[in-house]
Amino acid sequence: MRYDFDRVVERRNTNSIKWDFIEEIYGEKDLLPLWVADMDFQVPREVVTAIKERADHAIYGYTGRSPQLYQAIIQWLDRRHNWKIKPEWIDFTSGVVTGLNVAVQAFTKPGDKVIIQPPVYQPFKNAVENNGRQVVFNPLKMENDKYVMNFDDLADKCDSRTKMLIFCNPHNPGGRVWDKEELQQLAEICVHNDLIIVADEIHSDFVYPGHVHTPLASISQKIAERTVTCIAPNKTFNLAGLTTAAVVISNQTLRQEFAKIIENNGVKTNIFGLTAMEAAYTYGEEWLEQLLSYLKDNLDFLMEFFQTQIPQIRPIQPEGTFLVWLDCRELKLDQQHLTELFTRKAKVALNDGAWFGVGGEEFVRINIGCPRSILAEGLQRIKQAVNTL
Ligand SMILES: Cc1ncc(COP(=O)(O)O)c(C=O)c1O
């Protein structure tokens, strides 16, 4: 079946955070939403059918996880990422962010240090600080318009209170799909310093040609033993509103500690999330392949648009994800004026780079998971606003 990603589906008046809550968040009306990481595409037909069939049963009591669901996850990770896992390694949460918080509570104590690598998805920092742990920054370095990890700094920042690294693979917002050598170097430091690694791999299914996602835990037995991997169909299949994610932990002791916190906090999943997850991982591959090709064309379109029409803003070429990190430093605007430029003048809602922490200032993030006509409209608006400077 051919999916039509060009089709614009009205999302206003569906309580969409991306479309309906802009005014509350940005204080402005009529912004074109190119921000929060969900996509303006309808999900695979088989997912809708599975949800409808489940809904038609009309009894929604407490629901467990079927063997078919476990198999769908296992086969997906094997087929797409060459990662072989066992059913007993899998647990479930109500989202990847929940998984991060559970992991912090399970494997660290109040006052312990947890490392993150900014600029990075802000809930990493929140998961550390809101649980009374200390956040330690190991900022990424930009080399030739590409983010790399600073391994010397990482090793230096490990002391006896440092217990965990929360790692983003692929990286949001930097767009890096970390390669095997980088993962190996990272793994060595984590093993040497006895760190638990929480690998947020929610963006792993979005990888552009020429790059391959490697699950951190697949690098070696040693690293698998200390890795907690969070995955979800939420980004891949646009199911964020169904709030269901999986966590893969091969180390039995860690898995039991994780499960204890899940139970203590009453973390649950819901019928429709589980149903959608199984259907997406079982039947969604054809849809995803077409989506990836569409996103690549969107990306090429955006890269060329900035190069030829708004050269003052430089997109960092992403290797994965449907998010593009825009370097606005040449505009020489402080954060407030940058926000005004995009929000008041261009009338587009983008994510403010400062939200991603250290190194995010003077950057913004744009979401290309939308029909090209919407992206083109957004880029035109940005061009016109920049031309007024
Ligand atoms: C790196 C990363 N982790 C987690 C999430 C959110 O995941 P969830 O909605 O499953 O909590 C996002 C959403 O943008 C993300 O980019």
Side-chain angles (χ1 to χ4, degrees):
M1 168 173 182
R2 191 89 223 140
Y3 286 94
D4 180 9
F5 294 104
D6 276 326
R7 189 169 146 230
V8 175
V9 180
E10 180 58 75
R11 294 188 67 189
R12 291 182 195 92
N13 301 317
T14 62
N15 293 322
S16 155
I17 302 259
K18 186 179 184 183
W19 286 84
D20 289 326
F21 287 77
I22 298 184
E23 198 179 344
E24 276 177 29
I25 293 163
Y26 288 82
E28 287 282 322
K29 274 193 179 145
D30 302 325
L31 303 190
L32 192 69
L34 296 163
W35 63 299
V36 63
D38 75 21
M39 301 185 284
D40 298 324
F41 303 127
Q42 291 189 322
V43 309
R45 195 173 30 98
E46 291 88 346
V47 174
V48 180
T49 306
I51 291 174
K52 279 187 176 163
E53 277 175 6
R54 190 64 193 80
D56 276 344
H57 183 249
I59 299 178
Y60 313 127
Y62 292 117
T63 299
R65 290 95 189 216
S66 67
Q68 291 86 339
L69 172 62
Y70 284 92
Q71 281 313 312
I73 297 169
I74 289 169
Q75 284 166 21
W76 181 263
L77 292 175
D78 190 8
R79 270 201 318 275
R80 302 293 304 185
H81 304 302
N82 198 21
W83 186 25
K84 295 182 179 26
I85 66 161
K86 297 189 175 158
E88 59 270 24
W89 297 358
I90 306 172
D91 206 336
F92 293 86
T93 61
S94 54
V96 164
V97 172
T98 313
L100 305 180
N101 280 276
V102 170
V104 168
Q105 291 171 22
F107 308 124
T108 65
K109 296 195 173 58
D112 279 351
K113 295 181 183 171
V114 178
I115 299 180
I116 65 171
Q117 300 174 306
V120 73
Y121 183 58
Q122 198 200 44
F124 282 25
K125 179 167 173 272
N126 298 345
V128 180
E129 291 184 338
N130 295 348
N131 286 299
R133 278 65 167 170
Q134 300 178 56
V135 69
V136 175
F137 298 114
N138 166 227
L140 299 180
K141 297 189 290 188
M142 177 87 87
E143 282 180 2
N144 303 324
D145 279 347
K146 176 171 162 173
Y147 280 106
V148 293
M149 287 186 262
N150 187 339
F151 293 115
D152 293 336
D153 178 68
L154 176 62
D156 285 348
K157 296 230 163 110
C158 294
D159 63 22
S160 60
R161 261 347 274 267
T162 316
K163 303 292 181 198
M164 178 182 277
L165 167 75
I166 309 183
F167 179 54
C168 202
N169 180 33
H171 190 269
N172 168 20
R176 280 302 314 282
V177 175
W178 304 109
D179 63 39
K180 273 198 176 139
E181 288 67 34
E182 291 171 302
L183 296 177
Q184 252 140 10
Q185 263 187 287
L186 182 79
E188 265 173 43
I189 297 172
C190 293
V191 170
H192 184 73
N193 291 284
D194 198 19
L195 300 186
I196 302 277
I197 305 144
V198 180
D200 178 337
E201 304 201 350
I202 196 168
H203 291 283
S204 54
D205 295 314
F206 297 98
V207 172
Y208 294 111
H211 301 279
V212 176
H213 166 73
T214 306
L216 178 69
S218 70
I219 283 279
S220 70
Q221 175 69 16
K222 255 189 180 170
I223 199 70
E225 281 294 300
R226 54 180 63 251
T227 301
V228 172
T229 307
C230 301
I231 59 151
N234 301 353
K235 303 281 154 220
T236 312
F237 294 103
N238 213 21
L239 304 174
L242 291 171
T243 63
T244 308
V247 180
V248 182
I249 312 174
S250 62
N251 178 321
Q252 192 185 1
T253 311
L254 295 186
R255 206 164 57 234
Q256 284 168 349
E257 286 167 12
F258 190 88
K260 215 186 301 167
I261 303 295
I262 292 248
E263 195 182 332
N264 292 351
N265 287 323
V267 173
K268 292 184 177 148
T269 46
N270 75 79
I271 295 176
F272 296 108
L274 297 172
T275 302
M277 185 187 245
E278 182 186 326
Y281 283 151
T282 308
Y283 304 111
E285 212 146 0
E286 189 191 10
W287 180 92
L288 178 62
E289 286 301 334
Q290 292 179 33
L291 171 71
L292 289 174
S293 156
Y294 191 85
L295 289 175
K296 174 69 170 73
D297 291 345
N298 264 5
L299 176 62
D300 292 346
F301 174 73
L302 173 139
M303 296 301 290
E304 174 161 346
F305 195 98
F306 276 106
Q307 245 163 38
T308 56
Q309 315 219 26
I310 326 176
Q312 305 92 317
I313 297 180
R314 287 166 4 108
I316 305 298
Q317 180 86 43
E319 298 170 349
T321 81
F322 56 92
L323 308 162
V324 186
W325 192 230
L326 303 177
D327 181 346
C328 303
R329 287 177 292 182
E330 262 184 45
L331 296 178
K332 302 210 183 316
L333 297 176
D334 60 25
Q335 209 62 32
Q336 189 198 332
H337 287 98
L338 202 55
T339 304
E340 270 174 27
L341 174 73
F342 291 115
T343 311
R344 296 247 171 88
K345 284 199 183 150
K347 291 269 179 195
V348 291
L350 306 179
N351 284 94
D352 183 340
W355 187 78
F356 299 84
V358 182
E361 310 81 6
E362 298 182 81
F363 284 77
V364 290
R365 192 192 73 180
I366 188 167
N367 175 347
I368 61 168
C370 58
R372 195 144 320 129
S373 57
I374 294 184
L375 181 61
E377 163 77 20
L379 296 178
Q380 277 300 341
R381 289 185 186 200
I382 295 172
K383 177 182 164 186
Q384 277 163 15
V386 170
N387 284 344
T388 65
L389 291 174

